């Protein structure tokens, strides 16, 4: 069932022996992603050679699976005519992306060899703003008109199928290219051949807009379990489709991006979408430094707090020894809460009207956690660290207060951010942690003053 | 094109006036997800009533989109015969999930009203272990045999289509139900009616295994841009399929779960998959407490370090004032690094052989960041906080060392975890932060000793 893949060394032999026909035959039946994998496993130059000698359609399919640097390299090694042939067979969204990575002069040379409609399609797709539906959509979808019969439609689709990304869904358009309905292939083969398309088409459609954020469009595809979503411009004219596989890629990238933001790396969408190795160290430093500087600025508030309460430290022996432990715990509790809230917001489980309920819930959770951890802290400070009861009580009470406080802040900040239209995942764990640190110290020392009544002079 | 949705108040009127036919007509054309949304927007009892009076097929489709609690409530309000009818039309994977939420006795009553094959199907699907492909796959796919013609195949599919989740792909099986090939509907309509299935079917297939982790299967669907993946048992017998929309749901849940782990919430798969509101506060506390306790334990290492170096603090004025700021910065730098590494690992940009390259890269990044932040710290301590140069130099040098150290740790821990087969996302930011805190203090005081040469007695 699953064919044994030809091992890379065997492939190398075929390549060196110039057995191009043998190579073409071998690859002919493989999934393009498998072919791409084999190419990646070889030496760079060998992989490029293999890619260059694949038959047209397969080459175009495999191109979509290889990394962007290789795509650019291979195209730059081709003649303009060869490259134009590749573009002709490539899926429309992938070739537009590739064009955006090539040198402008080179692109002109290549496009000169294509028909005008194709040239215009490539230019148009490549011009959409990064991050929008327009930038990820493809234009090789099948269209039908409402007045034709099912038999005529099937004939048309049979004819167009080789050039279309998909014919599993056809899009029914009026003379102005406005979308009127959608016809799943399933429905076509089940219908009587004499029915008209307008009789069987699905009119209730979920659509995307060409300037809509690509993550929003991907979420629609996810929510409605769509195979593909039609993309319309401001005049309701159909301009492209986004397919489920692209949606999955979008969501995967955006969600790993959230992990980055959550870890406090600069929230720069273009850089975040870059692969790990792509930026040089200078680029990485440039991305991380702003946040670290900002957090350093925020963290510096602990200094005046400590200075202000320094006299308490002078009066109460060993009070300083617990500081990192206490604010560390506050930071951890806040971090947990932020993660939970961000997830709840991102899965739409927490909605607009829920703010007070969430705060109450997190506050109570902090109370319970604080009571338990505070008890642990109390006994830890006295029995393990040998501190007298007053100091141990201080530690216990502070842990309790810090947990309540950190949970409340950890919930409040992402909720407020969401309300203000800021991406809550940008409110990273470090940000919350830092907020909790300075205020946690205030709590510690104020409670200490209450417990120890040190005289200040 | 997009129909104006009937407003919920109007819907309520129709319901109260008993206009069931009107309601059925209205809903007839809506996407089931839209219907589910409208139901969620209504009062609970009203929503349940609407759901109950939908026509069979639509009701079954809408059931897949409503939340699990409502599913259970509605089924429990039905008679066993009605519920059996619902099960008959529901997609096979969703009904198996629903069965697992119902009371065992009730399930027996309901299943008694179904044909044996259906009963067995439900029982089998419901028995697969949570988190495996078996637990998410569905069994309502279309099968063909290799020896029939395309014409016969199309006739068969037309007949079966209403009962199948999808006929966009048909699975070709031998007499033992072993998978031989896959036939996209597109290929069927393009082929000559007299061709045999075995001549046109696709033999090179990507498959999943029934006990395979569901995330692994979803990633295959993502990687190969599949519409659906066939799932086989240990004998290569086809037992079900997982579709792209289920894959998207799986990946979405698993990735938001990563945010939770990264924030330091307990990595409990079952609980993490639960919606935000589902657990009571006790449940939430139970999930977060273990981690907080563990982190408290880890953080407590700062205590003996501070005690050990307490004498340095007594000798060097104001040295304590910078402590939270320094270890906070270390924690932030480590947090950034961990997030970046986790992302790189999860997108497979960082591979096994890359460990040393990554460490070197992160170490150098830490060096650059540390040099810049250290300079800022130096000038901050002297000019803003008025400390003498030696202490300011201590702060600057410590920031430098801590950045290099935190970046190295932040890269090393997830890489080692991955090597050991532990999920690196579990190595949450709080864990790294805590590791960096105690060691950061050691660095601070050791450098202080070098700079200040305090005499110890």
């Amino acid at each position: 069932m699953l064919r044994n893949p030809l091992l890379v060394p065997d492939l190398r032999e075929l390549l060196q022996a110039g057995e191009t026909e043998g190579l073409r035959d071998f690859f002919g039946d493989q999934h393009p992603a498998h072919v791409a994998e084999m190419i990646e496993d070889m030496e760079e130059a060998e992989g490029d050679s293999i890619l260059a000698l694949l038959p047209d359609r397969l080459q175009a399919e495999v191109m979509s699976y290889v990394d962007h640097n290789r795509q650019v390299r291979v195209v730059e090694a081709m003649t303009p005519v060869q490259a134009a042939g590749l573009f002709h067979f490539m899926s429309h969204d992938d070739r537009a992306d590739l064009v955006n990575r090539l040198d402008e002069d080179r692109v002109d040379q290549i496009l000169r060899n294509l028909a005008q409609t194709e040239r215009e399609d490539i230019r148009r797709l490549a011009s959409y703003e990064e991050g929008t539906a327009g930038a990820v959509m493809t234009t090789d979808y099948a269209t039908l008109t409402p007045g034709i019969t099912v038999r005529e439609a099937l004939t048309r689709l049979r004819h167009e199928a080789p050039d279309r990304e998909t014919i599993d869904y056809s899009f029914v358009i009026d003379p102005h290219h406005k979308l009127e309905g959608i016809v799943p292939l399933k429905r076509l083969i089940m219908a009587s051949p004499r029915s008209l398309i307008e009789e069987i088409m699905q009119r209730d459609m979920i659509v995307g807009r060409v300037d809509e954020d690509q993550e929003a469009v991907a979420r629609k595809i996810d929510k409605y379990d769509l195979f593909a979503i039609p993309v319309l411009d401001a005049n309701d004219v159909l301009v492209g489709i986004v397919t489920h596989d692209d949606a999955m890629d979008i969501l995967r990238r955006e969600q790993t991006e959230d992990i980055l933001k959550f870890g406090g790396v600069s929230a720069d969408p273009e850089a975040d979408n870059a692969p790990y190795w792509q930026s040089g160290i200078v680029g990485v430093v440039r991305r991380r430094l702003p946040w670290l500087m900002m957090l350093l600025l925020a963290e510096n508030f602990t200094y005046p707090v400590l200075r202000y309460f320094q006299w308490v430290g002078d009066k109460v022996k060993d009070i300083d020894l617990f500081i990192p432990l206490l604010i560390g715990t506050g930071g951890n509790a806040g971090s947990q809460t932020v993660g939970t809230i961000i997830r709840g917001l991102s899965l739409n489980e927490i909605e607009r009207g829920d703010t007070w309920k969430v705060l109450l819930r997190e506050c109570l959770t902090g109370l319970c956690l604080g009571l338990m951890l505070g008890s642990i802290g109390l006994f830890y400070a006295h029995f393990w660290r040998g501190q007298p009861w007053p100091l141990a009580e201080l530690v216990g009470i502070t842990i309790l207060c810090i947990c309540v406080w950190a949970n409340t802040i950890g919930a409040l900040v992402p909720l407020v951010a969401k309300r203000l239209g800021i991406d809550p995942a940008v409110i990273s764990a470090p940000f919350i942690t830092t907020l909790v640190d300075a205020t946690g110290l205030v709590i510690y020392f104020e409670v200490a003053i209450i417990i120890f009544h040190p005289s200040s002079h």
Side-chain angles (χ1 to χ4, degrees), chain A:
Chain A
M1 207 184 41
L2 272 180
R3 288 180 46 186
N4 290 325
L6 208 62
L7 299 171
V8 166
D10 293 334
L11 211 57
R12 197 170 282 136
E13 266 187 51
L14 280 178
L15 177 64
Q16 282 162 356
E19 292 268 5
T20 52
E21 274 309 307
L23 283 165
R24 287 179 159 217
D25 284 340
F26 168 69
F27 281 126
D29 240 358
Q30 295 275 334
H31 192 289
H34 277 147
V35 179
E37 266 178 6
M38 275 182 257
I39 286 174
E40 306 276 3
D41 286 343
M42 310 179 76
E43 297 289 330
E44 209 175 78
E46 282 175 330
D48 289 0
S49 305
I50 297 275
L51 189 48
L53 63 80
L54 293 174
D56 295 330
R57 282 185 199 282
L58 180 61
Q59 183 189 63
E61 284 180 311
V62 173
M63 275 296 257
S64 296
Y65 286 99
V66 301
D67 68 276
H68 298 138
N69 291 330
R70 186 184 297 269
Q71 284 182 355
V72 168
R73 228 175 26 240
V74 168
V75 170
E76 283 180 350
M78 289 176 161
T79 68
V81 171
Q82 285 171 330
L86 171 66
F87 279 19
H88 176 69
F89 287 109
M90 270 182 89
S91 63
H92 295 198
D93 49 345
D94 292 334
R95 73 187 181 189
D97 285 342
L98 177 49
V99 154
N100 276 331
R101 289 189 181 88
L102 293 168
D103 185 3
E104 188 58 35
D105 292 333
R106 185 129 191 89
V107 169
D108 282 336
Q109 282 181 312
I110 297 170
L111 293 192
R112 225 170 281 153
N113 294 293
L114 288 170
Q116 183 178 343
T117 42
E118 277 206 293
R119 241 189 351 256
E120 282 173 4
D121 175 83
I122 293 174
R123 289 280 185 213
R124 194 181 318 121
L125 278 185
S127 72
Y128 287 111
E129 194 188 323
E130 185 83 32
T132 60
V136 294
M137 70 186 186
T138 189
T139 45
D140 39 10
Y141 50 88
T143 56
L144 299 171
T145 50
I148 62 176
T149 64
V150 165
R151 170 173 291 143
E152 289 167 330
L154 281 169
T155 307
R156 183 167 160 167
L157 290 178
R158 269 191 206 101
H159 184 249
E160 292 193 353
D163 297 322
R164 299 279 164 246
E165 174 97 5
T166 179
I167 60 167
D168 290 311
Y169 283 77
S170 309
F171 299 87
V172 185
I173 51 174
D174 73 2
H176 304 285
H177 220 274
K178 289 194 185 191
L179 184 64
E180 299 221 331
I182 295 178
V183 185
L185 187 54
K186 178 163 91 169
R187 219 181 260 204
L188 273 177
I189 72 156
M190 281 170 60
S192 143
R194 274 182 297 234
S195 311
L196 297 179
I197 290 302
E198 65 193 354
E199 290 165 2
I200 66 164
M201 71 187 185
Q202 196 178 305
R203 290 172 193 269
D204 179 36
M205 296 169 291
I206 292 109
V207 300
R209 295 285 160 184
V210 75
D211 50 5
E212 196 173 351
D213 180 75
Q214 66 186 29
E215 192 178 355
V217 170
R219 289 202 187 283
K220 280 183 194 174
I221 290 176
D222 183 14
K223 174 175 177 178
Y224 295 100
D225 295 341
L226 299 177
F227 176 85
I229 194 171
V231 178
L232 315 179
D233 69 7
N235 300 317
D236 288 350
V237 166
L238 175 66
V239 287
I241 65 171
V242 177
T243 49
H244 64 90
D245 50 296
D246 287 331
M248 211 181 280
D249 290 342
I250 292 168
L251 290 180
R252 179 165 43 84
R253 299 212 81 89
E254 303 256 351
Q255 276 158 358
T256 49
E257 196 180 297
D258 282 349
I259 297 238
L260 267 188
K261 289 179 196 163
F262 194 68
V265 182
S266 171
D268 172 4
E270 196 195 309
D272 286 333
N273 270 328
Y276 178 76
W277 299 105
Q278 186 159 306
S279 330
I281 287 183
V282 172
V284 173
V285 169
R286 236 172 6 114
R287 278 173 61 203
R288 296 191 196 175
L289 190 62
W291 262 108
L292 284 180
M293 280 170 54
M294 199 172 101
L295 295 171
L296 183 58
L297 181 66
E299 195 82 66
N300 107 91
F301 286 110
T302 55
Y303 185 100
V305 173
L306 284 174
R307 179 175 267 300
Y308 181 83
F309 288 108
Q310 205 170 19
W311 63 275
V312 179
D314 294 336
K315 302 247 178 275
V316 181
K317 185 174 178 302
D318 287 350
I319 198 176
D320 288 352
L321 300 180
F322 292 98
I323 286 177
L325 189 151
L326 290 170
I327 63 182
T329 297
N332 292 338
S335 196
Q336 286 184 336
T337 306
V338 167
T340 308
I341 302 299
I342 287 179
R343 179 177 198 251
L345 285 169
S346 118
L347 294 178
N348 288 319
E349 291 162 0
I350 298 174
E351 290 167 344
R352 275 191 79 88
D354 291 333
T355 309
W356 287 112
K357 277 168 55 178
V358 170
L359 279 176
L360 184 64
R361 182 179 156 101
E362 292 301 330
C363 198
L364 286 175
T365 305
L367 189 63
C368 295
L369 287 168
L371 282 167
M372 286 189 242
L373 287 170
S375 315
I376 291 173
L378 171 73
F379 296 123
Y380 161 80
H382 182 74
F383 291 112
W384 186 344
R385 296 300 179 195
Q387 293 294 348
W389 281 116
L391 184 53
E393 282 157 24
L394 170 63
V395 169
I397 291 171
T398 302
I399 288 179
L400 167 60
C401 295
I402 277 183
C403 280
V404 176
W405 176 236
N407 265 34
T408 308
I409 289 275
L412 191 63
V413 173
L415 287 172
V416 167
K418 181 91 178 181
R419 245 338 153 83
L420 299 177
I422 307 170
D423 181 356
V426 171
I427 306 306
S428 56
F431 191 176
I432 298 293
T433 308
T434 306
L435 253 182
V436 163
D437 287 357
T439 47
L441 286 172
V442 173
I443 293 173
Y444 188 44
F445 285 109
E446 288 291 358
V447 176
I449 288 172
I450 292 172
I451 290 183
F452 288 97
H453 313 291
S455 55
S456 52
H457 51 265

